[in-house]
Amino acid sequence: MDYPHPILAREGWPFIVAVLAASVLAWVFAGFAWSIPLWAVSAFVIQFFRDPPRPIPADPLAVLSPADGRIVSLGRAQDPYAQREALRISVFMNVFNVHSNRSPVDGEVTSVNYFPGRFFNADLDKASLENERNAVVLRCDSRTVTVVQVAGLIARRVLCYVAPGQSLRRGERFGFIRFGSRVDLYLPLDARALVSIGDKVHASSTVLAEFAPPAQAL
């Protein structure tokens, strides 16, 4: 699952090529003035599919952000995918955020489950359980970590590239969500949140929480 960072996400290449080709054709056949709206769309598409490399903290107890965006939910919640009470931290991604999803911890994938659903605004709390989503459950030593990719009002495509039995390293790319969405992270209750609602976070480089040291872990 090593994924080089070519600055632009591979999921965006067909869209980028198509919109650039349309912009050039409009310029050639209709003139530059008529092509300006298409060049604006091209700029938006290119920025949406950017996928820059990120520094990855080395602290083994650190839980990294799985996505870019803003913290919209933080607190105790039921993890319906691992059947437990957990600390849930939710990151909302708008259309100007990087939409590449990366593993928050080192761990082994124990299950991957896709659920069809609706397309409410991902900023709303009900989106976690009613929208289209894909849940990846990880075993991190003796701990369970669940990462849920949630489609949004505009997002209509959740992409996940891992399967049960596969190992992930912290910061490793495992999926992508197109055009505005949300990622929910479920952690053990003894994890300590290091962010607050409204905070802006960056995938892999922002530490969302830290696990309790092994001697204190539940």
Side-chain angles (χ1 to χ4, degrees), residues 6-168:
I7 305 304
L8 296 176
R10 60 190 178 189
E11 293 85 357
W13 295 344
F15 297 91
I16 293 169
V17 170
V19 72
L20 287 176
S23 300
V24 171
L25 290 173
W27 189 356
V28 170
F29 292 104
F32 178 73
W34 288 97
S35 70
I36 289 176
L38 284 174
W39 286 117
V41 173
S42 297
F44 168 78
V45 171
I46 289 171
Q47 73 80 32
F48 180 86
F49 285 107
R50 68 196 188 280
D51 191 10
R54 294 282 172 73
I56 301 173
D59 183 358
L61 297 180
V63 180
L64 311 183
S65 180
D68 282 22
R70 175 173 54 87
I71 303 298
V72 293
S73 179
L74 172 62
R76 187 167 181 152
Q78 178 69 22
D79 176 358
Y81 313 101
Q83 303 302 317
R84 58 170 178 153
E85 286 289 312
L87 170 66
R88 187 181 69 186
I89 303 176
S90 299
V91 180
F92 172 74
M93 295 177 281
N94 65 37
V95 294
F96 298 105
N97 293 129
V98 173
H99 276 60
S100 179
N101 299 145
R102 308 180 190 189
S103 180
V105 296
D106 296 327
E108 179 183 350
V109 179
T110 60
S111 68
V112 179
N113 294 287
Y114 169 79
F115 301 87
R118 304 177 71 178
F119 297 96
F120 291 116
N121 186 341
D123 204 1
L124 301 176
D125 203 48
K126 65 180 179 180
S128 292
L129 296 178
E130 297 189 38
N131 279 21
E132 177 182 332
R133 59 204 181 277
N134 185 77
V136 178
V137 180
L138 297 165
R139 172 60 62 181
C140 177
D141 295 326
S142 61
R143 306 177 182 93
T144 297
V145 173
T146 305
V147 188
V148 188
Q149 300 168 283
V150 184
L153 182 65
I154 302 173
R156 300 287 163 153
R157 186 69 169 137
V158 174
L159 304 172
C160 181
Y161 305 122
V162 296
Q166 187 171 337
S167 293
L168 282 174

Side-chain angles (χ1 to χ4, degrees), residues 144-213:
T144 297
V145 173
T146 305
V147 188
V148 188
Q149 300 168 283
V150 184
L153 182 65
I154 302 173
R156 300 287 163 153
R157 186 69 169 137
V158 174
L159 304 172
C160 181
Y161 305 122
V162 296
Q166 187 171 337
S167 293
L168 282 174
R169 298 187 303 276
R170 61 181 58 224
E172 184 174 358
R173 195 181 194 278
F174 73 89
F176 197 93
I177 314 177
R178 287 207 291 257
F179 303 118
S181 44
R182 170 183 180 137
V183 175
D184 291 332
L185 184 63
Y186 294 89
L187 304 173
L189 287 174
D190 60 357
R192 182 169 68 93
L194 299 179
V195 292
S196 302
I197 291 178
D199 285 354
K200 292 183 178 180
V201 298
H202 297 90
S204 299
S205 59
T206 300
V207 178
L208 296 187
E210 64 179 10
F211 292 131

